[in-house]
Amino acid sequence: MPRAEHGISRDDISENALKVLYRLNKGGFQSYLVGGCVRDLMLGEHPKDFDVVTNATPEQIKGLFKNCRLIGRRFRLAHIVFGREIIEVATFRGHHADDSDESGSHLGKQDEQGQLLRDNVFGTIEEDAERRDFTFNAMYYSVADFTVTDFANGLEAIEKREVRLIGDPQVRYREDPVRMLRAVRFAAKLNMSIHKDTAAPIPELAHLLGNIPPARLFEETLKLFLSGNGELTFKLLNQYGLIAPLFPQLKPYLHDSKSREMQFISQVLANTDERINSDQRVTPAFLYAAMLWYPLEEYTQKLALESGLAEHDAFNIAATEVLQRQTQRIMIPKRFSTVIRDIWILQQRLPRRFGRRAYQLLSHPKFRAAYDFLLVRGQVEGGSALELADWWTQFQHAEPGVQKRMLNELRKHEGGAPKPRRKRRRRPSGGNNADA
């Protein structure tokens, strides 16, 4: 498609991405913008990232750019660093040969289930296009002649608003099971439907996500739930049987979308979407705390019942166990797991408001997150959780005199006036401390 037919302007492209394209071309290499940035530009949106593809090898790319670092083993990539912006540059992928070359380099490797373990087979632009995942991601923009080359009818997919895989869906999902998550993410993000052939194998192959490293799944879940379409994404993931492989402890709750557990997660995701779309800060910790809250409650009750542990001890043991089970599937960095525990523990402490406790809780660094969490619980559960949320809403914004009155009223309501402090008996001088 020449310039007149596609409407992409250099004004809409990152200056740093253009620098990379121009320098690769000047170095005698082919270079193109590819994937999501071209798709988004064709949709009239502003891409967040700009990815470049070239026939230069990673080592040749590094030779052209002082600000380049090579990353990855499964996919060898070059990152060109411009301050806070990183332009990712990949070499054209080729098809896998049955045997490797003598040097042992530039190899592809698959496991017995067809999953790609290494993919450093380099090829032509045509082969690279066939190796792309979805049809609308196989469009290539050239700054040399301002054309867009559409290898897989990506424009048609955009016009039909369909997410469609290139090639045999069974094979492509086995090569990289994360493509199932990407199909859902694009459907939610771009307001598209998943083509029936692309959707059909997903429930059957969802278990393959168990083969993906937990660290990679953490990155993927951030994209799924923190892109401003989390609520819809969660519904689609559940529709295709993809929540249980990611959050096994949610499995008992997934069949009933009207249950309090599912309502709670939906409301938290809706609130998160609203914050993201209003350019407000969010933390993955809040989301994970919400996903695992009811499994934690249930496991706490089970422990307390079966072992006779005090609720506080059962809660702490259950929190550790629930987090450990989850991190076997999705890695949660410590900087987030610590906040998750704080939010959970404060749910236990927020009902205990007597004396100085209410003021101490207000000054807790994670009070705001825990209060927001309680607010959603109140909306979904009603009853005592709603009453408690309303009380904290009033208390934190009240004048000191009103706060004191609220605490006095609370004492009366919760069981009368405070008990008088018992006078300590004076020890008889020279005694043996028997009465102390």
Side-chain angles (χ1 to χ4, degrees):
M1 286 178 278
R3 171 72 182 84
E5 289 180 24
H6 59 69
I8 294 178
S9 164
R10 277 174 294 174
D11 294 340
D12 300 322
I13 299 169
S14 152
E15 283 185 24
N16 294 321
L18 290 172
K19 284 178 192 173
V20 172
L21 293 167
Y22 287 133
R23 188 174 297 182
L24 283 165
N25 288 351
K26 194 176 176 184
F29 299 106
Q30 299 171 38
S31 70
Y32 301 85
L33 286 181
V34 70
C37 60
V38 179
R39 177 199 69 226
D40 289 350
L41 287 168
M42 297 286 276
L43 283 163
E45 296 178 9
H46 296 289
K48 288 182 180 175
D49 304 301
F50 289 86
D51 293 338
V52 172
V53 71
T54 178
N55 61 343
T57 65
E59 290 73 21
Q60 287 172 326
I61 298 163
K62 190 168 175 62
L64 285 175
F65 297 91
K66 289 179 183 176
N67 53 333
C68 171
R69 62 171 185 248
L70 300 183
I71 63 155
R73 290 177 61 193
R74 197 171 69 94
F75 295 109
R76 195 89 169 119
L77 297 167
H79 277 181
I80 318 295
V81 183
F82 297 90
R84 295 183 70 176
E85 185 178 17
I86 294 174
I87 306 298
E88 190 169 275
V89 185
T91 305
F92 293 143
R93 303 286 160 198
H95 294 305
H96 290 231
D98 292 333
D99 52 348
S100 60
D101 65 5
E102 291 176 8
S103 69
S105 62
H106 301 171
L107 301 179
K109 188 179 179 185
Q110 291 172 285
D111 66 11
E112 64 276 4
Q113 291 177 311
Q115 186 177 335
L116 287 175
L117 303 177
R118 196 162 59 244
D119 190 18
N120 292 315
V121 181
F122 302 143
T124 64
I125 188 172
E126 290 80 11
E127 288 174 322
D128 189 80
E130 286 182 38
R131 296 292 317 282
R132 297 271 148 192
D133 48 10
F134 300 100
T135 57
F136 49 46
N137 285 343
M139 293 188 287
Y140 295 68
Y141 172 81
S142 168
V143 80
D145 59 9
F146 315 123
T147 59
V148 171
T149 307
D150 178 5
F151 284 95
N153 296 321
L155 190 60
E156 182 187 336
I158 286 173
E159 287 167 353
K160 288 185 175 179
R161 307 205 72 78
E162 278 184 344
V163 178
R164 187 166 190 172
L165 271 172
I166 297 169
D168 181 346
Q170 284 265 357
V171 173
R172 302 313 304 278
Y173 289 143
R174 288 184 184 279
E175 281 180 350
D176 185 2
V178 166
R179 286 177 179 144
M180 293 182 279
L181 301 180
R182 284 167 61 80
V184 168
R185 178 159 66 85
F186 288 139
K189 175 187 173 183
L190 303 172
N191 191 26
M192 293 183 176
S193 60
I194 304 176
H195 187 275
K196 60 179 176 32
D197 295 343
T198 298
I202 293 178
E204 173 200 340
L205 300 178
H207 69 279
L208 294 176
L209 287 169
N211 302 332
I212 301 299
R216 187 176 175 212
L217 283 183
F218 175 72
E219 295 300 328
E220 290 300 326
T221 51
L222 294 188
K223 294 175 191 172
L224 288 167
F225 300 123
L226 299 181
S227 298
N229 312 97
E231 187 184 12
L232 176 57
T233 301
F234 185 88
K235 286 177 183 171
L236 288 174
L237 288 169
N238 195 27
Q239 179 184 327
Y240 289 108
L242 293 168
I243 290 293
L246 296 174
F247 297 93
Q249 294 170 98
L250 284 181
K251 195 171 184 179
Y253 313 115
L254 296 173
H255 63 282
D256 182 8
S257 63
K258 291 187 169 58
S259 68
R260 67 169 189 169
E261 293 85 3
M262 295 295 276
Q263 289 293 318
F264 179 65
I265 291 169
S266 289
Q267 189 58 56
V268 166
L269 287 166
N271 294 354
T272 302
D273 289 344
E274 193 176 325
R275 288 183 68 86
I276 290 167
N277 294 323
S278 306
D279 293 322
Q280 292 178 279
R281 286 180 62 192
V282 295
T283 171
F286 194 91
L287 194 62
Y288 279 96
M291 294 279 194
L292 301 171
W293 171 248
Y294 289 110
L296 168 65
E297 266 204 335
E298 192 172 303
Y299 192 46
T300 299
Q301 289 163 10
K302 185 184 174 192
L303 273 178
L305 205 65
E306 291 178 358
S307 63
L309 285 166
E311 188 184 344
H312 176 264
D313 295 330
F315 184 85
N316 284 329
I317 293 168
T320 300
E321 182 70 22
V322 165
L323 279 171
Q324 281 178 349
R325 287 179 187 173
Q326 184 56 51
T327 52
Q328 288 169 3
R329 191 56 56 91
I330 299 174
M331 184 200 75
I332 304 173
K334 192 173 181 182
R335 67 184 186 276
F336 297 129
S337 62
T338 305
V339 178
I340 293 168
R341 290 186 77 102
D342 281 343
I343 291 170
W344 286 346
I345 289 165
L346 284 168
Q347 300 310 297
Q348 298 277 294
R349 291 178 61 192
L350 285 170
R352 301 198 278 270
R353 298 157 280 174
F354 296 120
R356 300 296 305 163
R357 282 178 178 171
Y359 300 105
Q360 289 165 353
L361 286 167
L362 269 184
S363 63
H364 192 288
K366 294 293 176 281
F367 169 79
R368 183 71 208 186
Y371 163 73
D372 288 344
F373 197 89
L374 176 63
L375 271 184
V376 186
R377 283 182 55 211
Q379 289 171 21
V380 172
E381 296 174 18
S384 59
L386 182 59
E387 285 177 21
L388 184 62
D390 287 345
W391 189 91
W392 277 108
T393 301
Q394 293 175 51
F395 185 79
Q396 65 182 302
H397 300 300
E399 297 291 328
V402 177
Q403 288 181 334
K404 195 171 181 182
R405 190 163 67 246
M406 286 177 73
L407 288 170
N408 288 335
E409 286 172 3
L410 189 66
R411 278 198 202 95
K412 292 173 190 172
H413 180 69
E414 294 286 334
K419 293 176 183 177
R421 293 178 68 179
R422 194 173 65 178
K423 288 183 180 178
R424 293 182 65 182
R425 278 197 287 173
R426 295 180 65 178
R427 297 177 193 164
S429 58
N432 61 3
N433 205 23
D435 293 330

